[in-house]
Amino acid sequence: MRRFLLVVAVIVVGVLGVVTAATAAGRGGSATPSLLASAAKVSYEPAAQATGVSPTSPVSVKVTDGTLQQVTLLGAAGKPVAGALDAGRTTWTSTGPLAYDAQYTWSGTAVGPDGVAVPLQGGFHTVKPTRQVRGVINIGDGRTVGIAAPIEIQFNAHVEDRAAVERALSITTSKQVEGSWGWLPDENGGSRVHYRPKAYWPANTKVSVEADLFGVAYGGGQFGAANVSSAFTIGRAQIVKADATSFRMVVVRDGKQVADYPASYGLAADPDRNTRSGIHVVTEKFTDKRMTSQQYGYDVMEKWAVRMSNNGEFIHANPASAGAQGSSNVTHGCVNLSIENAKAYYDTALYGDPVEVTGTPVQLSAKDGDVWDWTLSWDQWQKLSAL
């Protein structure tokens, strides 16, 4: 009897072993493969529910152990952001711009080896600036300018983080040029930065300026409002040699003298009337320019006026000083020429042409106007860079 029970027990154990093996085969076999396959894993950049995101930050969604089936990033007013999938359909990256102070939401699906669709969800919010600051480049597209022309970007508010802004600026030239950005004192309601080459620009150089300012944090919660750019040309190399002791004004173009005019400069006996020595830069010209001075009691209209400094210095026609032109200096700081000679020079002058004044006892300085870039040595100029 005991031998019979033992046999029965062995048979029962054998049956249980068969059942267990069959169950294991059902779980791991080909009949239900999804039970061992992995699900898609999704990650986001920026992270889900992030706030204060820069609109220029990288934006992507990535799946591991799977592929993206459909991706949509919706922004303001439900408008989708442009983007593209990579070849393996594992990463979607935005190609369209984002906006400030906007909510962005993900939708779509990713599918892993288990065949189960995982929804894309969540989103992020971009930063809300306290103010969007605009920058304007002084030289417009397509212009031709002189070899001393500074490139200026004028901002309509104070820039605190100047290094961040400077890193967003780039200059490309068709000829090799060594130059540097320099921050000058705030003017016209905001900050300003100039780019100046070490020496004059090479003649006939093509220059491109890219200021990728949108999304740049200026400090104090302020951000760049928009990118700005310009592409222009440096013209012929024209330099005015203005030696006050010679009572002449010489024009040199591409290394050759093309004009030599009798001139009268500022009265040396009065420091307030001295023409300032140093490298001036032509910034404007007028067929007719009203000139006034309460200090010296004149109010006159002069012809063919070319501004070479913002302190009131011009090269212009003045029949009243005709008797002194070529023999003595009697002006209030301007360079006086005859009507004929002033017109001839006026017709050749470009924004950015240098006027090199020498032979006077007072030097051009920062207090003499907004373009005093060339009064500084190269070492001094480089120290104005925030980088």
Side-chain angles (χ1 to χ4, degrees), residues 254-339:
D254 296 324
K256 297 180 180 179
Q257 181 174 310
V258 295
D260 183 356
Y261 305 125
S264 182
Y265 295 85
L267 180 67
D270 184 347
D272 289 340
R273 291 176 61 174
N274 282 178
T275 307
R276 272 42 181 163
S277 285
I279 299 175
H280 300 61
V281 178
V282 169
T283 54
E284 297 178 286
K285 59 182 188 178
F286 307 85
T287 57
D288 298 273
K289 177 64 176 175
R290 184 184 179 187
M291 299 184 179
T292 64
S293 172
Q294 291 184 344
Q295 180 180 359
Y296 293 103
Y298 63 81
D299 185 344
V300 295
M301 188 71 72
E302 301 289 16
K303 297 287 293 182
W304 314 119
V306 177
R307 185 191 294 277
M308 63 181 193
S309 176
N310 209 32
N311 66 355
E313 291 176 314
F314 287 81
I315 300 170
H316 67 89
N318 189 358
S321 67
Q325 292 167 20
S327 60
S328 61
N329 294 327
V330 299
T331 81
H332 292 82
C334 293
V335 183
N336 284 183
L337 305 176
S338 69
I339 290 179

Side-chain angles (χ1 to χ4, degrees), residues 222-237:
Q222 299 186 132
F223 284 77
N227 297 336
V228 291
S229 63
S230 182
F232 57 90
T233 302
I234 305 299
R236 77 288 176 271

Side-chain angles (χ1 to χ4, degrees), residues 177-180 195-200 374 376-378 381-382:
V177 176
E178 182 180 359
S180 175
Y195 183 91
R196 198 206 92 179
K198 181 178 181 179
Y200 293 149
W374 296 98
L376 302 180
S377 69
W378 180 237
W381 179 260
Q382 288 180 297

